[in-house]
Structure formats: C-alpha cells, structure tokens
Amino acid sequence: MKVGTDGVLLGAWASGGTRILDVGTGTGVIAMMMAQRFGDASVDAVEIDADACAQAVENVAASPFSRQVRVVCQPVQQWALRPECHGAYDAIVSNPPFFVNALKAPAEARRLARHADTLPFEELFGAVGLMLSDDGEFSVIIPFDFRRQLEDAASGCGFHLSRECGVRTTPAKAPKRYLLAFKRMAVAEVERSEGLLETSPNVRSPWYRALTSEFYL
C-alpha cells in the first residue's frame, strides 16, 4: 500500500497524547507521523494484514521512532479486549476501511484496506469505546459520501463530533473528504474548518504546505 494523501492529512491533523493508537496502520506512516509530532508519546500500531504488518515493522525499525512505535498484527476488535488497553489511549487515529456492499478490490491487501467487511464502523467505534480515555479524542479521515454512515455509528456508540475539517481538492470543488474528531462528551461548539489541497494542478496550497511542512522534503 502506497503512502496516500489521506494518511498524510490525518497524521498531520489529529490530536495526540502520551499514549496513541493507530488502527489499521498499513505500512506505519500515520503511526510514525504521530511519533514525530508527539516526541514523548508511545504509539501502538495495529494492523490485520500480515504483509502490511511486516512492512510496518521494517519501516519503524529503519526510522528514528523505533523506540516509540510498537506494531501489532491483530484485529483491533481483539486488541481492544486486552485489559491493559481499556481506557489506555489519550488519542486514537484511523484511516478506516469504508466501502460497504461495493465491488471488491482484486488484491486481498487492498480489499482489507478499503472495504469495511472486517471492520464495520460500528465495530470500530465499539473497540474505540473500550480503549479511549475519558477525555481522549478519536480522529479519522473519511470520503464525503461515507460521512453520514460514520457519524451514525459514532452516535450509536455514544461519541460526539468535536472537530471537523472539510478538505477540497481544488477551490471550485466541494470537500471530497473530511477529517473528523470525536469525544465521549459533547462539546459546547464543534470546531469547524476547511482546507484546500491545491491552488492549481500540482501546486500545493498554503494550507496544505503549512499542515504538512514537517513531513515533506
């Protein structure tokens, strides 16, 4: 799985803490970004696909964050049942699988990464509900047309939207993806913003450059 814009956006935008969990880490990019941003944090990175997990282990070992990041090859539904994980994380992040009842990708790894068969939104929030601390925040990135399903699952599991950022690909287009953050307790006012990826083809916007300046060469 290649490094994608969605993962970079989430890793640069999400809130952190002293203990962080990356659900569906893939090759470990978001987990390492969180470790870079929050130097005192310990980061657990959970991934169901064995090949992606092996790549994440290799990437973390070759990075400056090998002492901060632990990669675990296990479904998050199982990881969440461990007693030491209950209420343990100040911040949880996920670039979750989202396709439901859609044509499956031909490669198994890509299917797992993009389709919600193995991690429906309700099960994702159920696991997060076990592991997130009382005042912690759960951050995700989701395509605009799956936002309602995700928010319905969040509400059903007792979570409330705390922050959102709609991301436009170009100035003339509506947001194509949303960065969303959830907490257990409702906030007085949801923090809402918008971002723009490109001002013109292949020209990153000032917003995107500022958000990701620590990660792009």
Side-chain angles (χ1 to χ4, degrees):
M1 300 300 292
K2 296 179 180 179
V3 175
T5 301
D6 284 4
V8 172
L9 285 169
L10 181 62
W13 183 83
S15 296
T18 56
R19 287 203 66 187
I20 299 170
L21 175 67
D22 178 19
V23 177
T25 196
T27 52
V29 173
I30 296 173
M32 288 186 286
M33 290 178 71
M34 297 299 284
Q36 179 174 327
R37 291 177 59 209
F38 304 99
D40 294 329
S42 61
V43 182
D44 288 334
V46 176
E47 172 57 49
I48 191 174
D49 180 71
D51 290 337
C53 226
Q55 185 67 72
V57 169
E58 182 179 336
N59 289 342
V60 168
S63 78
F65 315 111
S66 57
R67 294 187 178 182
Q68 283 179 263
V69 180
R70 171 175 59 169
V71 179
V72 179
C73 189
Q74 190 174 77
V76 69
Q77 298 96 320
Q78 293 181 17
W79 184 250
L81 297 178
R82 298 169 66 97
E84 64 269 27
C85 293
H86 291 180
Y89 297 102
D90 308 303
I92 299 177
V93 297
S94 183
N95 180 6
F98 48 80
F99 285 134
V100 180
N101 298 325
L103 183 66
K104 301 295 189 290
E108 178 69 9
R110 190 165 178 80
R111 184 188 69 78
L112 287 173
R114 301 191 69 185
H115 289 265
D117 301 40
T118 56
L119 186 57
F121 293 154
E122 292 79 9
E123 292 187 20
L124 173 60
F125 276 97
V128 169
L130 291 174
M131 297 184 291
L132 192 66
S133 64
D134 289 342
D135 58 351
E137 189 170 79
F138 174 44
S139 302
V140 302
I141 187 164
I142 198 78
F144 75 98
D145 45 348
F146 291 92
R147 176 179 175 172
R148 176 60 63 88
Q149 294 171 257
L150 184 83
E151 288 190 317
D152 286 348
S155 178
C157 292
F159 282 91
H160 304 271
L161 186 67
S162 56
R163 297 189 298 135
E164 72 167 48
C165 179
V167 182
R168 299 174 181 265
T169 54
T170 65
K173 294 183 179 179
K176 292 295 185 182
R177 52 175 70 81
Y178 280 89
L179 292 154
L180 303 174
F182 298 89
K183 290 189 173 184
R184 295 185 186 277
M185 299 294 293
V187 297
E189 184 175 355
V190 176
E191 179 185 319
R192 303 182 191 276
S193 63
E194 279 196 356
L196 174 67
L197 292 183
E198 295 183 343
T199 54
S200 59
N202 300 315
V203 178
R204 283 181 284 168
S205 72
W207 174 83
Y208 190 40
R209 288 200 305 269
L211 181 69
T212 61
S213 61
E214 297 180 18
F215 306 107
Y216 282 116
L217 296 176

